[in-house]
Every structure is written in structure tokens, then in C-alpha cells.
Amino acid sequence: MERVFSGAQPTGNLHLGNYLGAIRNWVELQKKYECIFCVVDMHAITVWQDPKELRSNIRELAASMIASGIDPENQVLFNQSQVSAHAELAWIFNCVARIGWMNRMTQFKEKAGKHRENASLGLYAYPSLMAADILAYKATHVPVGEDQKQHLELARDIALKFNTDYGVEGFFPQPEPLILGPATRVMSLRDGSKKMSKSDASDMARINMTDDADTLAKKIRKAKTDPEPLPSEAAGLEGRPEAKNLITIYAALTNSTVADVLTEHGGTQFSGFKQALTDVVVENLAPITEEMARLNADPAYIDSVLAKGAERANVIAQPILKEVKEIVGFLNS
Ligand code: TYM
């Protein structure tokens, strides 16, 4: 039995990294697999979220998933807090996972920064909830960007330790990360050593899914590059992270490879290439942005999709959770 699960946080500013690293791949996978896609609102509140903004970000993220091509009729699309199995299983996993494992998580270190003692307990336990998201459905495949790989490894460790501790070999599967396509780690437009991120203080560092054509053109024109022309071969991108990033984005959006892009554009100046890149980005994003605007105007429809999705998610998760509770030794009524 193969089942795909993935999620994204409703923290605003869905960007091209989220799209190329994750959501676009989900759209392809739904053609072959049973898929469950989740707006992870409980993960979002591991750092402060204004309640009013959170509510609208949940709806907007669901709308952008649908606008990108997720099919809410044939797949399950829902928000995490509407299915209590996530929280219940996460608690059990908190008791399976070891503190030492959490201490190794690079995302926690980055997000907590210097104020580690002041970070929420939820931010620390974040990967345990993520393991619960996946394993509440016994999902076998998890399409994510590169930055989530370590969390996926932890989910595999939790699954294995649960199976071993309770003597139920094979109960939870070992979920496989699917890190697909050329753009598994899209970088900031201002600094090729930092990933494109929702939380970057500078909006010029990212391409938002809601940016209009003029904004996209401006951001790409101002994107950091070096003074050299484009190389003709991939080896020539060594030590040129900003150049590599723009070329990778172009390759991903045109469904080609970095080598193909360099054969076509090698030797040209970045000013010309940036114009070509702008055209490709606008062409890809404009229909999605337009559809997002249409869906955002109909919150009742989005709410009904999420409610129906939560019902369907519950039908899958509840029997699994019931079995987990029996295994652990809880009394089931
Ligand atoms: P989140 O909301 O940060 O990002 C959603 C997806 O986008 C990918 N991504 C990127 N890919 C390429 N380049 C980038 N610059 C970039 N930035 C983000 C992420 O890898 C992710 O696939 N913890 C997860 C959400 C989550 C989840 C899960 C995912 C919660 N539970 C269970 C899978 C399975 C997160 O914060 O993603």
C-alpha cells in the first residue's frame, strides 16, 4: 500500500521555493498515488501567529494549493487542527523520541537562534508532530524540499523505535522522502548561500506566488549576480551560487536541465538572461495567481473543501490511532 503525505505551514508568503520544491511535485504525484495534503496550522503556532492572520493564511494556503493544481475532489486536502489524531499521536511520539535526537535538528537551531531558552516547547518538539502527521496515515512517501530531509529521517527513527519498543515490527512503515526535480533548494535572490524563505526580512529575497508581473520583473532585475557572463557548462557555476540559483529556477520552470539552459544561454550576459527568466516566471505564475485571487474571494468554498477533507482524513487516521492506543496499553472504549 503506497500513500503520499505532505504539508506546508500557513505562515504567509508562499514562495517559488515552496512551489518548485514541493507543491508542483505534489500535483504530479496525485496522478499516481493516493495523496493527503495538509495545511499544518499546528506547526505554524510553534512561533507566534496573530489569530486573525492565521485564519486567513490557512484559507490562502489551501487556495494556493488548489490553484497550483491539487485536486480536492480526488485527494484529501485539509488543515491539521481539524483532525485530532495528529495531536494525540504526537504526544505518544514525544514519549518515544529522545531529547538527544531533537537536539540535533538544524531547523530548531536556526529558528530558535540565540534565544534558545525562550523558544516554545512546541518548536522543539516540532519534528515529533511532523512524524505524527505522516504516520497517522501510515504514509509511505513524503515529497518535500531538501530542508525537510533531516525531519524525515527523524520520522523514520521514531517509526522504527515505536515498532521495536512495542514489539510490533512493520506496524509503522519507514516513510521515504521524495526530493524531486532540479529545484530542491531554491535560494534567496539576495544571497545565494541562504534558502528562499517565508521569514526572510527582505521581500526582495523571494518570489511570492502572489507577486504581480511588475513586481516579479523588478525582483529578478535586482537579483544579485556576478559580473561574468553565463558559463556554457555546469562546471562553470562552481563558486557562483547566485548564478546557479537563477539558472536552476529557469531549468525547473521550463522542464529542462541546467545543462540544456547553459547550452542555450551560455556566453550571454545576465541582463538578457534575467529578461528571459522574468518571462518564464510570469508565464508560469500568472495563471496560478489569477486562480488564487478567484478562490480567495470565496472563503465559504475553501472552508467546505477543508471540512470535507478533514472528514476523509479522519476516516483513515482513526482506525490507525485506535490500534496505536491498544498497542501502547491505553483503554479503548
Ligand atoms: P514549509 O511550510 O516550510 O515548506 C513547505 C514545503 O516547501 C519546501 N521548501 C522549499 N523547497 C525548495 N526550496 C526552498 N527554498 C524551500 N522552502 C521550503 C519545504 O521543504 C516543504 O516541502 N515542516 C514542514 C511542513 C510539514 C510537513 C509535515 C511536510 C509539517 N508536517 C509532514 C511533510 C510531511 C514545513 O515547515 O514546510
Side-chain angles (χ1 to χ4, degrees), residues 9 17-18 21 43 126 130 133 144-145 147-148 184 186 196 198:
Q9 295 195 63
N18 301 127
H43 276 110
Y126 179 116
M130 191 162 151
D133 297 340
V144 283
D147 61 333
Q148 295 300 316
T184 57
V186 177
M196 188 177 282
K198 289 175 200 159

Side-chain angles (χ1 to χ4, degrees), residues 24-42:
R24 200 175 69 146
N25 299 325
W26 304 356
V27 174
E28 283 309 304
L29 288 164
Q30 69 181 351
K31 296 176 188 158
K32 284 194 232 122
Y33 292 95
E34 176 193 5
C35 293
I36 303 172
F37 298 120
C38 186
V39 175
V40 294
D41 46 7
M42 285 157 64

Side-chain angles (χ1 to χ4, degrees), residues 76-95:
V76 178
L77 171 61
F78 74 108
N79 65 305
Q80 194 183 27
S81 62
Q82 287 201 57
V83 178
S84 64
H86 293 250
E88 292 183 68
L89 188 57
W91 180 258
I92 294 171
F93 285 171
N94 281 345
C95 303

